[in-house]
């Protein structure tokens, strides 16, 4: 099964780095989707099923807390696991995110292993077959 | 609430962020060099700032030669320096500052009384050689022997 992953961050550079981290980890990815804020993330999810959302908190238009709170009010979207990937590391931020329904919390700067470990918990660890397929697709080419 | 403690947390965060995310060896140079001299002959500069509010108000800033940012961005995104676009260069600089400030406040104030803004680019005119001395207290930092400057200004103490 291939997973669709949505990365929500107002930083193009950060979205690129997270995408590369996911690709190199060998997850069987269907689509790696991107949005630059919470509002755009909701638009993406209107049209495409997403298996997991990785979102920043501090973004213009709609921040990560507002995104997760909006998703929790929707019967379909509330089923999608959300991981916060953010510079905010305070106890209050973690508590608010987890109370709102986040499944994981990763603070920037992060190591690739932290992203992989969290996605493993949500999506399950990639099999050797997944990794081989990803390598054949050029996912390790960076 | 000690400003010196905040500054020390910032120094720790510079190393943490630049080594973890950008794989750079960080050297905070203890001997202060005025910014016009620090960047002399290094070409055009790019800078970013990020404001914060709370018990202390102020802003973080980072300034670096565009060539240095280009190289860091290329490494960060897995590109060659020739492939790096303006937007990617600007974005990487802003994101580095974002992470440094977030990491600083996480270490400085776990109770989250600070609100951190969204990073923006410094206007080019503020990066002219005759304006650089306005960035008081800037730290001279070497990233793999490449010069950048990072600093923190505190505008007022509200409590």
């Amino acid at each position: 099964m291939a997973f669709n992953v949505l990365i929500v961050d107002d930083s193009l550079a950060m979205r690129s780095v997270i995408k590369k981290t996911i690709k190199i980890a060998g997850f069987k990815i269907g689509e790696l989707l991107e949005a630059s804020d919470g509002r755009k993330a909701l638009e993406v999810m209107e049209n495409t099923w997403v298996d997991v959302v990785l979102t920043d908190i501090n973004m213009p238009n709609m921040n990560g807390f507002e995104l997760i709170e909006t998703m929790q009010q929707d019967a379909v979207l509330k089923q999608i696991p959300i991981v916060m990937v953010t510079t905010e590391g305070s106890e209050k931020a973690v508590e608010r995110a987890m109370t709102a329904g986040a499944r994981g919390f990763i603070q920037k700067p992060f190591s690739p292993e932290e992203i992989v470990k969290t996605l493993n918990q949500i999506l399950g660890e990639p099999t050797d077959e997944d990794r081989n397929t990803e390598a054949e697709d050029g996912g390790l080419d960076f | 609430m000690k400003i010196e403690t905040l500054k020390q947390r910032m120094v720790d965060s510079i190393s943490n962020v630049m080594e973890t995310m950008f794989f750079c060896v960080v050297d905070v140079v203890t001997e202060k060099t005025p910014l016009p001299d620090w960047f002399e002959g290094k070409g055009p500069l790019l800078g970013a700032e990020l404001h914060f509010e709370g018990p202390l108000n102020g802003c973080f800033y980072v300034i670096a030669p565009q060539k240095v940012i280009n190289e860091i961005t290329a490494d960060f995104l897995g590109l060659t320096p020739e492939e790096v676009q303006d937007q990617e260069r600007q974005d990487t600089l802003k994101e580095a500052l974002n992470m440094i400030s977030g990491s600083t406040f996480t270490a400085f104030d776990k109770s989250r009384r600070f609100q951190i803004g969204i990073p923006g680019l410094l206007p080019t005119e503020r990066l002219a050689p005759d304006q650089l001395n306005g960035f008081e207290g800037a730290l001279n930092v070497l990233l793999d022997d490449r010069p950048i400057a990072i600093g923190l200004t505190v505008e007022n103490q509200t409590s």
Side-chain angles (χ1 to χ4, degrees):
Chain A
M1 177 184 168
F3 300 104
N4 290 345
V5 179
L6 173 58
I7 301 162
V8 191
D9 199 307
D10 56 333
S11 165
L12 171 68
M14 187 52 66
R15 295 199 303 269
S16 298
V17 165
I18 294 173
K19 275 170 67 175
K20 282 180 184 295
T21 301
I22 292 171
K23 280 184 181 176
I24 204 170
F27 291 102
K28 200 168 179 66
I29 299 298
E31 284 190 77
L32 271 175
L33 304 152
E34 296 181 45
S36 58
D37 61 49
R39 241 182 246 167
K40 288 180 180 148
L42 291 173
E43 287 172 16
V44 169
M45 288 185 281
E46 272 181 21
N47 302 311
T48 311
W49 174 255
V50 169
D51 294 287
V52 61
V53 175
L54 303 176
T55 182
D56 188 15
I57 291 178
N58 201 8
M59 298 177 289
N61 301 322
M62 178 186 278
N63 68 34
F65 288 132
E66 292 164 339
L67 172 63
I68 191 169
E69 285 157 6
T70 303
M71 289 174 66
Q72 291 303 310
Q73 290 165 17
D74 184 284
V76 175
L77 296 183
K78 72 189 293 186
Q79 300 171 44
I80 302 172
I82 303 168
V83 177
M84 313 303 271
V85 185
T86 176
T87 57
E88 295 214 27
S90 67
E91 290 162 2
K92 279 187 181 175
V94 176
E95 187 184 338
R96 183 175 173 190
M98 301 313 267
T99 302
R103 291 272 296 276
F105 196 101
I106 297 169
Q107 192 184 2
K108 301 173 190 171
F110 55 78
S111 65
E113 290 77 15
E114 288 176 81
I115 297 271
V116 173
K117 185 180 168 191
T118 303
L119 286 181
N120 279 343
Q121 289 167 352
I122 293 171
L123 303 176
E125 288 195 34
T127 62
D128 288 343
E129 188 185 344
D130 293 337
R131 289 195 181 93
N132 290 338
T133 305
E134 191 60 35
E136 285 164 15
D137 290 346
L140 295 174
D141 185 23
F142 77 96
Chain B
M1 185 137 301
K2 292 181 179 172
I3 295 171
E4 286 312 310
T5 306
L6 179 63
K7 288 182 176 172
Q8 185 53 51
R9 296 289 176 270
M10 181 184 72
V11 171
D12 298 340
S13 296
I14 294 167
S15 296
N16 182 25
V17 169
M18 300 314 295
E19 288 171 6
T20 305
M21 294 295 300
F22 297 89
F23 307 108
C24 291
V25 175
V26 176
D27 181 13
V28 179
V29 181
T30 48
E31 188 180 336
K32 296 261 180 199
T33 303
L35 293 191
D37 299 334
W38 185 244
F39 291 127
E40 189 177 3
K42 303 296 182 191
L45 303 175
L46 193 63
E49 65 181 347
L50 188 155
H51 291 266
F52 60 86
E53 293 179 352
L56 300 172
N57 294 344
C59 86
F60 291 90
Y61 59 85
V62 58
I63 302 167
Q66 290 190 20
K67 184 173 180 294
V68 173
I69 302 166
N70 209 59
E71 291 165 359
I72 292 169
T73 303
D75 289 344
F76 188 51
L77 300 181
L79 304 170
T80 65
E82 295 74 28
E83 290 174 315
V84 174
Q85 306 291 312
D86 278 351
Q87 162 104 38
E88 292 167 329
R89 193 166 34 233
Q90 295 168 5
D91 226 41
T92 298
L93 185 69
K94 289 192 287 185
E95 189 57 35
L97 187 62
N98 194 31
M99 286 191 275
I100 289 167
S101 59
S103 178
T104 299
F105 281 121
T106 298
F108 182 67
D109 177 38
K110 279 275 181 192
S111 59
R112 193 175 178 259
R113 288 171 294 172
F114 287 90
Q115 295 292 318
I116 303 174
I118 292 174
L121 291 180
L122 284 166
T124 312
E125 54 269 25
R126 288 187 63 194
L127 302 174
D130 61 344
Q131 298 294 312
L132 287 175
N133 283 327
F135 293 96
E136 287 178 21
L139 296 172
N140 303 122
V141 178
L142 291 170
L143 299 180
D144 292 338
D145 294 327
R146 298 168 296 192
I148 69 165
I150 301 179
L152 164 69
T153 58
V154 175
E155 291 154 10
N156 65 312
Q157 194 159 350
T158 58
S159 68

